Amino acid sequence: MIKEKKYKIIKNKYFWISIFFFIWMFFFDSNSFMLHYRFKNSIQKMRYNRDFLKKKILLEGSQLKKLNTDPLYLEKLAREKFYMKKENEDLFLVRKEIKKTN
């Protein structure tokens, strides 16, 4: 009795049509489940990038404000990053050697 019922379900055309419909909707349709999953992931990545860039903009803005108002910070930055020097001054660069072990 149970085998006959299962056999009828498998033989039923509406069963196969509904299976085909769900497979089509999940994988091949223009609004498929896979496409929504990809969009959701890309939205999360974009939000992360947006937040990162907002923090970076705030940091850069504060540094710009400090550069415009503080001449000592400007001199420090010029000496450290760009290796600039005053007249009648010598500049020596000291670098640490990294030993490679095999």
Side-chain angles (χ1 to χ4, degrees), residues 15-35:
F15 172 76
W16 289 109
I17 290 173
S18 61
I19 294 293
F20 176 75
F21 174 75
F22 286 118
I23 290 173
W24 182 264
M25 291 304 288
F26 275 130
F27 298 107
F28 302 113
D29 192 45
S30 62
N31 297 318
S32 68
F33 174 74
M34 301 293 281
L35 190 63

PDB file of all heavy atoms in Angstrom, residues 15-35:
ATOM      1  N   PHE A  15       3.684  16.651  -9.592  1.00  0.00           N
ATOM      2  CA  PHE A  15       4.866  16.527  -8.754  1.00  0.00           C
ATOM      3  C   PHE A  15       6.110  16.942  -9.529  1.00  0.00           C
ATOM      4  O   PHE A  15       6.928  17.744  -9.057  1.00  0.00           O
ATOM      5  CB  PHE A  15       4.986  15.080  -8.242  1.00  0.00           C
ATOM      6  CG  PHE A  15       6.272  14.798  -7.537  1.00  0.00           C
ATOM      7  CD1 PHE A  15       6.490  15.246  -6.244  1.00  0.00           C
ATOM      8  CD2 PHE A  15       7.278  14.079  -8.173  1.00  0.00           C
ATOM      9  CE1 PHE A  15       7.682  14.984  -5.605  1.00  0.00           C
ATOM     10  CE2 PHE A  15       8.469  13.808  -7.531  1.00  0.00           C
ATOM     11  CZ  PHE A  15       8.675  14.266  -6.245  1.00  0.00           C
ATOM     12  N   TRP A  16       6.277  16.437 -10.726  1.00  0.00           N
ATOM     13  CA  TRP A  16       7.442  16.756 -11.538  1.00  0.00           C
ATOM     14  C   TRP A  16       7.446  18.213 -11.994  1.00  0.00           C
ATOM     15  O   TRP A  16       8.498  18.853 -12.042  1.00  0.00           O
ATOM     16  CB  TRP A  16       7.532  15.822 -12.744  1.00  0.00           C
ATOM     17  CG  TRP A  16       7.906  14.439 -12.324  1.00  0.00           C
ATOM     18  CD1 TRP A  16       7.116  13.337 -12.315  1.00  0.00           C
ATOM     19  CD2 TRP A  16       9.171  14.039 -11.805  1.00  0.00           C
ATOM     20  NE1 TRP A  16       7.804  12.264 -11.828  1.00  0.00           N
ATOM     21  CE2 TRP A  16       9.081  12.670 -11.503  1.00  0.00           C
ATOM     22  CE3 TRP A  16      10.367  14.684 -11.571  1.00  0.00           C
ATOM     23  CZ2 TRP A  16      10.140  11.955 -10.972  1.00  0.00           C
ATOM     24  CZ3 TRP A  16      11.424  13.977 -11.048  1.00  0.00           C
ATOM     25  CH2 TRP A  16      11.297  12.616 -10.752  1.00  0.00           C
ATOM     26  N   ILE A  17       6.276  18.725 -12.288  1.00  0.00           N
ATOM     27  CA  ILE A  17       6.187  20.137 -12.676  1.00  0.00           C
ATOM     28  C   ILE A  17       6.578  21.038 -11.513  1.00  0.00           C
ATOM     29  O   ILE A  17       7.316  22.011 -11.686  1.00  0.00           O
ATOM     30  CB  ILE A  17       4.770  20.469 -13.188  1.00  0.00           C
ATOM     31  CG1 ILE A  17       4.546  19.787 -14.529  1.00  0.00           C
ATOM     32  CG2 ILE A  17       4.565  21.982 -13.309  1.00  0.00           C
ATOM     33  CD1 ILE A  17       3.133  19.890 -15.054  1.00  0.00           C
ATOM     34  N   SER A  18       6.124  20.716 -10.323  1.00  0.00           N
ATOM     35  CA  SER A  18       6.477  21.528  -9.153  1.00  0.00           C
ATOM     36  C   SER A  18       7.974  21.407  -8.832  1.00  0.00           C
ATOM     37  O   SER A  18       8.615  22.397  -8.479  1.00  0.00           O
ATOM     38  CB  SER A  18       5.624  21.162  -7.948  1.00  0.00           C
ATOM     39  OG  SER A  18       5.818  19.819  -7.593  1.00  0.00           O
ATOM     40  N   ILE A  19       8.542  20.221  -8.968  1.00  0.00           N
ATOM     41  CA  ILE A  19       9.985  20.047  -8.759  1.00  0.00           C
ATOM     42  C   ILE A  19      10.761  20.889  -9.766  1.00  0.00           C
ATOM     43  O   ILE A  19      11.706  21.610  -9.405  1.00  0.00           O
ATOM     44  CB  ILE A  19      10.394  18.558  -8.865  1.00  0.00           C
ATOM     45  CG1 ILE A  19       9.792  17.731  -7.747  1.00  0.00           C
ATOM     46  CG2 ILE A  19      11.914  18.423  -8.910  1.00  0.00           C
ATOM     47  CD1 ILE A  19      10.340  18.063  -6.387  1.00  0.00           C
ATOM     48  N   PHE A  20      10.364  20.813 -11.016  1.00  0.00           N
ATOM     49  CA  PHE A  20      11.007  21.602 -12.057  1.00  0.00           C
ATOM     50  C   PHE A  20      10.879  23.098 -11.756  1.00  0.00           C
ATOM     51  O   PHE A  20      11.837  23.859 -11.903  1.00  0.00           O
ATOM     52  CB  PHE A  20      10.395  21.275 -13.421  1.00  0.00           C
ATOM     53  CG  PHE A  20      10.934  22.124 -14.523  1.00  0.00           C
ATOM     54  CD1 PHE A  20      12.202  21.902 -15.029  1.00  0.00           C
ATOM     55  CD2 PHE A  20      10.178  23.153 -15.044  1.00  0.00           C
ATOM     56  CE1 PHE A  20      12.708  22.696 -16.044  1.00  0.00           C
ATOM     57  CE2 PHE A  20      10.669  23.950 -16.053  1.00  0.00           C
ATOM     58  CZ  PHE A  20      11.937  23.717 -16.550  1.00  0.00           C
ATOM     59  N   PHE A  21       9.704  23.520 -11.318  1.00  0.00           N
ATOM     60  CA  PHE A  21       9.462  24.924 -10.991  1.00  0.00           C
ATOM     61  C   PHE A  21      10.402  25.398  -9.877  1.00  0.00           C
ATOM     62  O   PHE A  21      11.020  26.464  -9.984  1.00  0.00           O
ATOM     63  CB  PHE A  21       8.003  25.116 -10.579  1.00  0.00           C
ATOM     64  CG  PHE A  21       7.695  26.491 -10.082  1.00  0.00           C
ATOM     65  CD1 PHE A  21       7.572  27.560 -10.962  1.00  0.00           C
ATOM     66  CD2 PHE A  21       7.531  26.726  -8.722  1.00  0.00           C
ATOM     67  CE1 PHE A  21       7.307  28.825 -10.499  1.00  0.00           C
ATOM     68  CE2 PHE A  21       7.248  27.987  -8.254  1.00  0.00           C
ATOM     69  CZ  PHE A  21       7.135  29.041  -9.141  1.00  0.00           C
ATOM     70  N   PHE A  22      10.541  24.637  -8.802  1.00  0.00           N
ATOM     71  CA  PHE A  22      11.414  25.033  -7.695  1.00  0.00           C
ATOM     72  C   PHE A  22      12.885  25.047  -8.108  1.00  0.00           C
ATOM     73  O   PHE A  22      13.622  25.956  -7.728  1.00  0.00           O
ATOM     74  CB  PHE A  22      11.202  24.123  -6.486  1.00  0.00           C
ATOM     75  CG  PHE A  22       9.921  24.399  -5.767  1.00  0.00           C
ATOM     76  CD1 PHE A  22       8.951  23.427  -5.679  1.00  0.00           C
ATOM     77  CD2 PHE A  22       9.676  25.639  -5.193  1.00  0.00           C
ATOM     78  CE1 PHE A  22       7.765  23.670  -5.017  1.00  0.00           C
ATOM     79  CE2 PHE A  22       8.493  25.904  -4.528  1.00  0.00           C
ATOM     80  CZ  PHE A  22       7.531  24.913  -4.441  1.00  0.00           C
ATOM     81  N   ILE A  23      13.285  24.091  -8.895  1.00  0.00           N
ATOM     82  CA  ILE A  23      14.668  24.081  -9.376  1.00  0.00           C
ATOM     83  C   ILE A  23      14.917  25.298 -10.255  1.00  0.00           C
ATOM     84  O   ILE A  23      15.952  25.971 -10.132  1.00  0.00           O
ATOM     85  CB  ILE A  23      14.979  22.766 -10.134  1.00  0.00           C
ATOM     86  CG1 ILE A  23      15.021  21.608  -9.139  1.00  0.00           C
ATOM     87  CG2 ILE A  23      16.289  22.885 -10.909  1.00  0.00           C
ATOM     88  CD1 ILE A  23      15.153  20.260  -9.793  1.00  0.00           C
ATOM     89  N   TRP A  24      13.976  25.586 -11.118  1.00  0.00           N
ATOM     90  CA  TRP A  24      14.098  26.750 -11.991  1.00  0.00           C
ATOM     91  C   TRP A  24      14.181  28.046 -11.170  1.00  0.00           C
ATOM     92  O   TRP A  24      15.027  28.897 -11.420  1.00  0.00           O
ATOM     93  CB  TRP A  24      12.923  26.812 -12.953  1.00  0.00           C
ATOM     94  CG  TRP A  24      13.020  27.966 -13.899  1.00  0.00           C
ATOM     95  CD1 TRP A  24      12.448  29.190 -13.775  1.00  0.00           C
ATOM     96  CD2 TRP A  24      13.769  28.005 -15.106  1.00  0.00           C
ATOM     97  NE1 TRP A  24      12.782  29.987 -14.822  1.00  0.00           N
ATOM     98  CE2 TRP A  24      13.603  29.285 -15.667  1.00  0.00           C
ATOM     99  CE3 TRP A  24      14.556  27.078 -15.769  1.00  0.00           C
ATOM    100  CZ2 TRP A  24      14.196  29.661 -16.852  1.00  0.00           C
ATOM    101  CZ3 TRP A  24      15.146  27.454 -16.956  1.00  0.00           C
ATOM    102  CH2 TRP A  24      14.961  28.741 -17.487  1.00  0.00           C
ATOM    103  N   MET A  25      13.313  28.189 -10.186  1.00  0.00           N
ATOM    104  CA  MET A  25      13.285  29.402  -9.368  1.00  0.00           C
ATOM    105  C   MET A  25      14.547  29.555  -8.524  1.00  0.00           C
ATOM    106  O   MET A  25      15.011  30.662  -8.298  1.00  0.00           O
ATOM    107  CB  MET A  25      12.050  29.412  -8.462  1.00  0.00           C
ATOM    108  CG  MET A  25      10.745  29.576  -9.208  1.00  0.00           C
ATOM    109  SD  MET A  25      10.679  31.044 -10.237  1.00  0.00           S
ATOM    110  CE  MET A  25      10.557  32.287  -8.994  1.00  0.00           C
ATOM    111  N   PHE A  26      15.108  28.463  -8.032  1.00  0.00           N
ATOM    112  CA  PHE A  26      16.283  28.549  -7.177  1.00  0.00           C
ATOM    113  C   PHE A  26      17.565  28.816  -7.965  1.00  0.00           C
ATOM    114  O   PHE A  26      18.462  29.486  -7.470  1.00  0.00           O
ATOM    115  CB  PHE A  26      16.465  27.278  -6.351  1.00  0.00           C
ATOM    116  CG  PHE A  26      15.675  27.274  -5.080  1.00  0.00           C
ATOM    117  CD1 PHE A  26      14.883  26.186  -4.767  1.00  0.00           C
ATOM    118  CD2 PHE A  26      15.702  28.336  -4.197  1.00  0.00           C
ATOM    119  CE1 PHE A  26      14.151  26.166  -3.602  1.00  0.00           C
ATOM    120  CE2 PHE A  26      14.970  28.326  -3.033  1.00  0.00           C
ATOM    121  CZ  PHE A  26      14.194  27.235  -2.739  1.00  0.00           C
ATOM    122  N   PHE A  27      17.691  28.307  -9.164  1.00  0.00           N
ATOM    123  CA  PHE A  27      18.963  28.372  -9.857  1.00  0.00           C
ATOM    124  C   PHE A  27      18.971  29.168 -11.159  1.00  0.00           C
ATOM    125  O   PHE A  27      19.956  29.815 -11.471  1.00  0.00           O
ATOM    126  CB  PHE A  27      19.477  26.954 -10.152  1.00  0.00           C
ATOM    127  CG  PHE A  27      19.726  26.161  -8.907  1.00  0.00           C
ATOM    128  CD1 PHE A  27      18.866  25.141  -8.552  1.00  0.00           C
ATOM    129  CD2 PHE A  27      20.797  26.447  -8.093  1.00  0.00           C
ATOM    130  CE1 PHE A  27      19.100  24.405  -7.403  1.00  0.00           C
ATOM    131  CE2 PHE A  27      21.033  25.726  -6.943  1.00  0.00           C
ATOM    132  CZ  PHE A  27      20.176  24.693  -6.596  1.00  0.00           C
ATOM    133  N   PHE A  28      17.926  29.130 -11.943  1.00  0.00           N
ATOM    134  CA  PHE A  28      17.987  29.671 -13.300  1.00  0.00           C
ATOM    135  C   PHE A  28      17.205  30.950 -13.530  1.00  0.00           C
ATOM    136  O   PHE A  28      17.447  31.649 -14.502  1.00  0.00           O
ATOM    137  CB  PHE A  28      17.490  28.616 -14.305  1.00  0.00           C
ATOM    138  CG  PHE A  28      18.270  27.345 -14.246  1.00  0.00           C
ATOM    139  CD1 PHE A  28      17.679  26.177 -13.799  1.00  0.00           C
ATOM    140  CD2 PHE A  28      19.599  27.320 -14.612  1.00  0.00           C
ATOM    141  CE1 PHE A  28      18.393  25.008 -13.734  1.00  0.00           C
ATOM    142  CE2 PHE A  28      20.328  26.157 -14.553  1.00  0.00           C
ATOM    143  CZ  PHE A  28      19.724  24.994 -14.111  1.00  0.00           C
ATOM    144  N   ASP A  29      16.284  31.294 -12.692  1.00  0.00           N
ATOM    145  CA  ASP A  29      15.456  32.472 -12.896  1.00  0.00           C
ATOM    146  C   ASP A  29      16.270  33.742 -12.686  1.00  0.00           C
ATOM    147  O   ASP A  29      17.315  33.737 -12.050  1.00  0.00           O
ATOM    148  CB  ASP A  29      14.270  32.434 -11.925  1.00  0.00           C
ATOM    149  CG  ASP A  29      13.215  33.455 -12.277  1.00  0.00           C
ATOM    150  OD1 ASP A  29      12.876  33.564 -13.459  1.00  0.00           O
ATOM    151  OD2 ASP A  29      12.742  34.154 -11.352  1.00  0.00           O
ATOM    152  N   SER A  30      15.784  34.854 -13.228  1.00  0.00           N
ATOM    153  CA  SER A  30      16.508  36.118 -13.052  1.00  0.00           C
ATOM    154  C   SER A  30      16.455  36.612 -11.610  1.00  0.00           C
ATOM    155  O   SER A  30      17.268  37.447 -11.208  1.00  0.00           O
ATOM    156  CB  SER A  30      15.936  37.182 -13.990  1.00  0.00           C
ATOM    157  OG  SER A  30      14.583  37.420 -13.651  1.00  0.00           O
ATOM    158  N   ASN A  31      15.530  36.129 -10.818  1.00  0.00           N
ATOM    159  CA  ASN A  31      15.455  36.456  -9.392  1.00  0.00           C
ATOM    160  C   ASN A  31      15.756  35.229  -8.546  1.00  0.00           C
ATOM    161  O   ASN A  31      15.109  34.975  -7.538  1.00  0.00           O
ATOM    162  CB  ASN A  31      14.060  36.984  -9.039  1.00  0.00           C
ATOM    163  CG  ASN A  31      13.759  38.265  -9.765  1.00  0.00           C
ATOM    164  OD1 ASN A  31      14.607  39.121  -9.872  1.00  0.00           O
ATOM    165  ND2 ASN A  31      12.555  38.384 -10.282  1.00  0.00           N
ATOM    166  N   SER A  32      16.767  34.498  -8.927  1.00  0.00           N
ATOM    167  CA  SER A  32      17.038  33.221  -8.282  1.00  0.00           C
ATOM    168  C   SER A  32      17.622  33.394  -6.880  1.00  0.00           C
ATOM    169  O   SER A  32      18.118  34.456  -6.502  1.00  0.00           O
ATOM    170  CB  SER A  32      18.009  32.404  -9.124  1.00  0.00           C
ATOM    171  OG  SER A  32      19.269  33.008  -9.118  1.00  0.00           O
ATOM    172  N   PHE A  33      17.565  32.338  -6.143  1.00  0.00           N
ATOM    173  CA  PHE A  33      18.111  32.303  -4.791  1.00  0.00           C
ATOM    174  C   PHE A  33      19.618  32.555  -4.814  1.00  0.00           C
ATOM    175  O   PHE A  33      20.148  33.289  -3.979  1.00  0.00           O
ATOM    176  CB  PHE A  33      17.795  30.944  -4.164  1.00  0.00           C
ATOM    177  CG  PHE A  33      18.432  30.731  -2.833  1.00  0.00           C
ATOM    178  CD1 PHE A  33      17.948  31.373  -1.714  1.00  0.00           C
ATOM    179  CD2 PHE A  33      19.516  29.887  -2.701  1.00  0.00           C
ATOM    180  CE1 PHE A  33      18.533  31.184  -0.485  1.00  0.00           C
ATOM    181  CE2 PHE A  33      20.120  29.684  -1.481  1.00  0.00           C
ATOM    182  CZ  PHE A  33      19.623  30.338  -0.364  1.00  0.00           C
ATOM    183  N   MET A  34      20.302  31.977  -5.765  1.00  0.00           N
ATOM    184  CA  MET A  34      21.749  32.140  -5.878  1.00  0.00           C
ATOM    185  C   MET A  34      22.116  33.604  -6.146  1.00  0.00           C
ATOM    186  O   MET A  34      23.064  34.133  -5.573  1.00  0.00           O
ATOM    187  CB  MET A  34      22.298  31.258  -7.000  1.00  0.00           C
ATOM    188  CG  MET A  34      22.029  29.783  -6.823  1.00  0.00           C
ATOM    189  SD  MET A  34      22.899  29.099  -5.429  1.00  0.00           S
ATOM    190  CE  MET A  34      24.502  28.918  -6.146  1.00  0.00           C
ATOM    191  N   LEU A  35      21.346  34.246  -6.996  1.00  0.00           N
ATOM    192  CA  LEU A  35      21.603  35.645  -7.325  1.00  0.00           C
ATOM    193  C   LEU A  35      21.384  36.534  -6.104  1.00  0.00           C
ATOM    194  O   LEU A  35      22.191  37.427  -5.818  1.00  0.00           O
ATOM    195  CB  LEU A  35      20.687  36.075  -8.469  1.00  0.00           C
ATOM    196  CG  LEU A  35      20.962  37.417  -9.102  1.00  0.00           C
ATOM    197  CD1 LEU A  35      22.343  37.414  -9.741  1.00  0.00           C
ATOM    198  CD2 LEU A  35      19.912  37.716 -10.143  1.00  0.00           C
TER     199      LEU A  35
END
